[in-house]
Amino acid sequence: MKRGLPKPRILLALAASVLLGFACQSTDTDEIAQPGNGLSASDFGDASHNCRFHSSRSAAASAAAASDSYYDRSLRREIDTKWIYSDVDLLDKFWNLDKIAVYIWHGSQSMNAIAYSSNVITFGENLYYDFLGKFGYYSAAGVMAHEWGHQIQYDYNFNGESRDMELEADNFAGYYLGHEGGRELTWKESSGFFDALYSIGDYSYNSPSHHGTPAQRRSAGRLGWLLADWSNKNREVGIQELHKTFFYYYNEVLEGSSFGRSARMPATSEEIAKGLDKEIIGYLNGHYRELKRIHNGEIKGKEYSNL
Ligand SMILES: [Zn+2]
């Protein structure tokens, strides 16, 4: 039986983990430890969610097996290692999945992050420093949260097209970033990650590896953050309900243009019959025009971060 989200006693745990650094990380420290410990990508099994956080998108999962790739638990600076593993610790408590082992991926192909179905995440060192420099630390936290989103999908057997899986991972990331039990960031703070996503969204609609257009990814992230905002003010929303609500609202309302919904519309009887919470749908409807304009690419830049 899977569980709902934990109560917000996480900030204390985060503070403790920052203070204690590595000693407090929640992953399987017995299993892995030393830099250059001989691990290779083939040890991690299936790379179903290669997130391709690089701009060229030419590399495939096999890039993880590049000869100069190696894995450990350290970034170049100790402070960066503590930061990123404090998010690992917080994500672990927030989503309460099976234990996830998180490795830092080094080498020329590390402008990327991959979620493996074997409960492993590899987070690229080059990606970390690129996002840190361009978009700030919270964008790196967002990448980790996105990868955790894929681990949720593995755990709960949420399957679908690559685009849908990526957009839902963005939605889970937005939820974690905004939730008082998670990162508890304002929208402005969270938006750096979605700016980063905006820079890497693709237009390869017909490719099986299509991850969503920039505007789609921005709207999915904003939707996740709004769901967290609603949850902070009302009640906890479990993973199954997040999954159902996201796909309903994203696919049937935002992309279902024939719906023609306008702001402040109440939930319909059909929505309620589907088991959707009319309060949540009503709240999202209050942001419908904004979400639609993000989705259409009409809201971007400062207007996006100032929402
Ligand atoms: Zn992904």
Side-chain angles (χ1 to χ4, degrees), residues 49-51 53 146-147 150 165-166 169 211 217:
H49 292 299
N50 177 351
C51 293
F53 283 102
H146 171 99
E147 297 307 315
H150 288 314
M165 294 296 97
E166 293 304 318
H211 279 40
R217 301 197 71 170

Side-chain angles (χ1 to χ4, degrees), residues 71-106:
Y71 304 87
D72 61 22
R73 291 182 180 275
S74 299
L75 285 159
R76 286 171 211 152
R77 300 185 309 173
E78 195 179 343
I79 185 69
D80 297 318
T81 306
K82 287 181 177 175
W83 277 347
I84 204 65
Y85 278 97
S86 70
D87 266 290
V88 168
D89 195 52
L90 190 54
L91 281 157
D92 179 58
K93 291 180 173 69
F94 186 63
W95 292 115
N96 196 24
L97 304 178
D98 293 339
K99 285 291 183 191
I100 309 294
V102 177
Y103 301 88
I104 304 301
W105 172 8
H106 303 270

Side-chain angles (χ1 to χ4, degrees), residues 60 136 143 164 167:
V143 172
D164 286 350
L167 293 177

Side-chain angles (χ1 to χ4, degrees), residues 80 83-84 123 127-143 185 189-196:
D80 297 318
W83 277 347
I84 204 65
F123 192 112
L127 174 66
Y128 177 88
Y129 286 105
D130 184 76
F131 273 28
L132 183 70
K134 291 179 184 169
F135 307 104
Y137 173 72
Y138 293 138
S139 67
V143 172
L185 300 182
E189 292 167 328
S190 301
S191 64
F193 174 56
F194 301 107
D195 279 335

